[in-house]
Amino acid sequence: MVLTMTSEADTSLQSTFASRYSQSSVSRYRIPDQETPKDAAYQIISDELMLDGNPRLNLASFVTTWMEPECDKLVMASLNKNYIDMDEYPVTTELQDRCVNMIARLFNAPVGDSEQAIGAGTIGSSEAIMLAGLALKRKWQNKRKAEGKPWDKPNIVTGSNVQVCWEKFARYFEVELKEVKLSKDYYVMDPHKAVEMVDENTICIAAILGSTYNGEFEDVKLLNELLEKKNKDTGWNTPIHVDAASGGFIAPFLYPDLEWDFRLPLVKSINVSGHKYGLVYAGIGWVIWRGKEDLPEELVFHINYLGADQPTFTLNFSKGASQIIAQYYQLIRLGFRGYKSIMQNCQANAKILADALVATGRFVILSKEIGVPVVAFSLKDRKNHDEYEIADHLRRYGWIVPAYTMAPDAQDVTLLRVVVREDFSRTLADRLVSDIVAVFKYLDAHPPRLIQAVTEALAKDPEVKKELLDAEPGEVKAQLDLRKSSVFEDIRNSQRAFKVWKKFALSKTNGVC
């Protein structure tokens, strides 16, 4: 019999967890001096990523977290393709053009059957908005220059509920942002107030088809009617851009008669996120223009050093081709009927979830029946606990549900929001409600977190320390009576209490996507 001997130097049988790589911390600030075996590097990173949240349970995000395995295969097979190499990857370029044409016609762009629509694939709606805004700014500047008028003070009118990318556009490209403030029980831009704010320096009004706060659609048709009248009275030609990041792949399938797109004459450009209800993983957006005249030619670059003339209008150069290919897969795989079926399912699950939350008797629903399949809800009674506590405790069950305040001037309204995506099933909806009920059971059995923080702070006050120490342990009434303390308001408004009370909220802004 031949015996096979292995030396201590033979690492082929050594477990990763028995190696030195599991006994020391990975380098965080400098490239390590020595290489790391591929299996150890994989295991180290994989172990850390386990601490991330589960994307499927991330109900804060509109971004797609599931695609069919066949589409995953296409994504993996094209990860090494750089889309910008159009001459080297002509089929990928053709697929991008097909997507632009399909989406443009979905939005009722006035293009002929064999006519090429005007649009571009982008990294997401943020880049799409930047491109659309630049086109609108340049069109307005060219017109002002031709008229011999000042062109250095452009502005844009939006609601204060817009996503943070509009603030970025305004700041980065030196455009004044004129915001229509919200009001109690009216959480989107008021078209009448928006048109009143328009002046000769307004490059456009940006309407939101699907507010990131509560999923509500703004009334683009009414906005178009009011703006047409003002343009006629003033001689201006102020256009509309529709930010349909969330609603662009919802409205055509659920509300085909709703007029918000290129059927309205003043709508000159539309952006939509393919990685939201376009059902593609993160990294793809689209911007579509009504026609060639709405995209100034001087913004389009013609590049030929990669082998062929390549007209391009983007903020970046290189980008992966996989998301474009995935978008084309979804469009031809699902078709109109498939998208409609998925959106109807999302809408139905959102309705079921909203009804179940109302049935608890704890919440009021702030989202609308017509809009993105989002359930935005607020507590009826916030005396003892608030939305931030609920969101914090839901994390213990794995759920990521954002808690945040409405935009100005409705910031006194605090709400929670659940985005109902394709992969949010009825079973998950039932489970979420069950876990919310369990959270309330726990919270109702404990004093409010703010009272606990105030109790702790008051305990450090020599004048009341003895009184608190003499109180019965765990006596809720004694803690609640602290509300009557003369220093309660000071402590509640202190930075210390604020951090305790708002620690989860501070990580949420109107940039949540």
Side-chain angles (χ1 to χ4, degrees):
M1 177 183 294
V2 177
L3 297 178
T4 302
M5 304 296 292
T6 61
S7 67
E8 293 183 1
D10 185 354
T11 60
S12 62
L13 299 180
Q14 188 179 59
S15 166
T16 299
F17 291 109
S19 69
R20 66 180 178 85
Y21 301 103
S22 65
Q23 300 170 19
S24 58
S25 298
V26 69
S27 180
R28 285 175 169 78
Y29 304 109
R30 295 180 183 275
I31 297 177
D33 294 331
Q34 303 295 328
E35 68 274 14
T36 303
K38 59 182 181 296
D39 55 343
Y42 169 82
Q43 194 65 57
I44 290 168
I45 298 171
S46 177
D47 289 348
E48 282 206 88
L49 289 175
M50 288 193 301
L51 299 175
D52 266 349
N54 184 335
R56 293 282 301 279
L57 299 182
N58 179 8
L59 306 183
S61 178
F62 289 87
V63 176
T64 296
T65 54
W66 180 87
M67 289 194 300
E68 291 178 324
E70 291 78 10
C71 194
D72 286 345
K73 291 178 184 178
L74 289 172
V75 169
M76 294 302 296
S78 56
L79 280 176
N80 59 351
K81 282 187 179 180
N82 185 2
Y83 164 73
I84 203 64
D85 295 344
M86 298 179 185
D87 191 53
E88 286 74 11
Y89 308 122
V91 174
T92 300
T93 302
E94 170 66 20
L95 297 188
Q96 193 251 198
D97 291 344
R98 292 180 193 177
C99 289
V100 167
N101 279 293
M102 291 179 182
I103 296 170
R105 285 165 175 80
L106 184 67
F107 295 165
N108 295 291
V111 292
D113 291 339
S114 59
E115 187 179 353
Q116 174 66 41
I118 306 301
T122 60
I123 297 299
S125 272
S126 291
E127 184 187 7
I129 284 169
M130 304 287 175
L131 298 179
L134 284 171
L136 290 160
K137 179 182 177 182
R138 184 58 60 90
K139 283 269 295 183
W140 173 82
Q141 288 177 325
N142 289 345
K143 182 174 181 292
R144 297 284 290 181
K145 290 176 183 179
E147 295 171 346
K149 297 179 180 178
W151 49 273
D152 60 334
K153 294 182 179 180
N155 68 65
I156 188 169
V157 176
T158 72
S160 63
N161 58 310
V162 293
Q163 215 262 2
V164 70
C165 59
W166 283 101
E167 298 176 35
K168 288 183 178 181
F169 166 75
R171 190 177 303 177
Y172 293 168
F173 297 105
E174 298 181 324
V175 176
E176 179 190 0
L177 191 66
K178 299 172 69 174
E179 294 186 341
V180 178
K181 303 301 183 184
L182 308 186
S183 59
K184 187 173 178 58
D185 298 326
Y186 196 93
Y187 303 127
V188 292
M189 179 180 68
D190 185 330
H192 294 88
K193 294 179 180 178
V195 173
E196 288 175 4
M197 296 177 73
V198 170
D199 58 33
E200 63 180 350
N201 293 321
T202 302
I203 65 174
C204 82
I205 299 180
I208 310 300
L209 197 77
S211 171
T212 190
Y213 287 88
N214 68 343
E216 186 174 354
F217 290 168
E218 294 182 343
D219 194 339
V220 187
K221 184 177 181 180
L222 176 57
L223 179 65
N224 184 87
E225 293 172 356
L226 296 172
L227 192 54
E228 276 191 315
K229 184 178 184 303
K230 182 155 190 174
N231 283 343
K232 183 178 179 180
D233 293 343
T234 60
W236 303 333
N237 191 28
T238 307
I240 296 171
H241 172 85
V242 179
D243 179 356
S246 302
F249 278 107
I250 297 290
F253 305 108
L254 294 184
Y255 317 108
D257 296 329
L258 183 68
E259 295 182 39
W260 62 273
D261 52 18
F262 292 119
R263 285 170 288 183
L264 303 174
L266 291 182
V267 175
K268 302 300 182 181
S269 52
I270 300 172
N271 70 276
V272 65
S273 291
H275 59 221
K276 292 182 181 177
Y277 287 96
L279 307 181
V280 177
Y281 293 144
I284 184 66
W286 302 93
V287 57
I288 310 294
W289 286 273
R290 172 180 287 273
K292 291 182 179 179
E293 66 278 5
D294 298 304
L295 175 56
E297 176 61 29
E298 63 264 33
L299 294 180
V300 179
F301 287 80
H302 293 268
I303 302 168
N304 61 17
Y305 68 80
L306 289 176
D309 179 64
Q310 301 172 12
T312 177
F313 180 34
T314 60
L315 293 181
N316 69 299
F317 193 67
S318 295
K319 69 178 178 183
S322 54
Q323 266 66 18
I324 291 173
I325 294 169
Q327 183 72 84
Y328 184 66
Y329 172 91
Q330 294 289 48
L331 290 172
I332 65 168
R333 163 74 176 93
L334 297 172
F336 191 94
R337 188 173 69 174
Y339 267 98
K340 181 177 181 179
S341 177
I342 289 171
M343 301 314 156
Q344 286 176 331
N345 189 55
C346 291
Q347 183 185 47
N349 284 333
K351 179 68 165 57
I352 288 168
L353 177 59
D355 290 345
L357 291 171
V358 170
T360 66
R362 301 277 195 159
F363 299 106
V364 57
I365 304 299
L366 302 181
S367 46
K368 307 296 181 181
E369 288 190 9
I370 296 180
V372 177
V374 162
V375 181
F377 51 106
S378 187
L379 280 169
K380 288 182 178 180
D381 183 356
R382 304 177 72 245
K383 290 195 303 291
N384 294 328
H385 303 284
D386 73 356
E387 291 81 1
Y388 301 109
E389 278 190 274
I390 295 171
D392 200 10
H393 281 273
L394 282 175
R395 287 245 180 183
R396 303 178 185 182
Y397 293 89
W399 300 105
I400 302 174
V401 179
Y404 54 95
T405 57
M406 276 286 186
D409 282 334
Q411 61 266 37
D412 60 322
V413 177
T414 307
L415 64 158
L416 296 149
R417 188 195 69 198
V418 171
V419 178
V420 179
R421 300 188 302 267
E422 176 189 12
D423 56 351
F424 187 76
S425 64
R426 169 67 185 274
T427 301
L428 286 179
D430 292 341
R431 183 69 189 188
L432 175 61
V433 173
S434 175
D435 289 341
I436 289 175
V437 171
V439 166
F440 273 117
K441 184 177 180 180
Y442 174 85
L443 292 177
D444 289 344
H446 292 78
R449 190 191 323 182
L450 178 59
I451 299 301
Q452 295 181 47
V454 171
T455 300
E456 180 183 343
L458 284 175
K460 297 179 180 180
D461 188 321
E463 296 181 7
V464 298
K465 186 173 182 179
K466 184 177 184 304
E467 179 183 350
L468 290 175
L469 291 175
D470 292 340
E472 289 294 326
E475 185 180 357
V476 175
K477 182 178 181 301
Q479 293 180 334
L480 293 178
D481 284 346
L482 292 173
R483 288 180 179 274
K484 301 174 184 178
S485 169
S486 60
V487 296
F488 180 84
E489 288 297 322
D490 292 337
I491 296 174
R492 184 174 69 177
N493 293 327
S494 70
Q495 188 66 22
R496 174 186 174 82
F498 180 80
K499 285 181 179 179
V500 174
W501 193 238
K502 298 289 188 181
K503 74 170 186 178
F504 186 74
L506 289 177
S507 65
K508 304 298 178 184
T509 69
N510 64 345
V512 171
C513 63

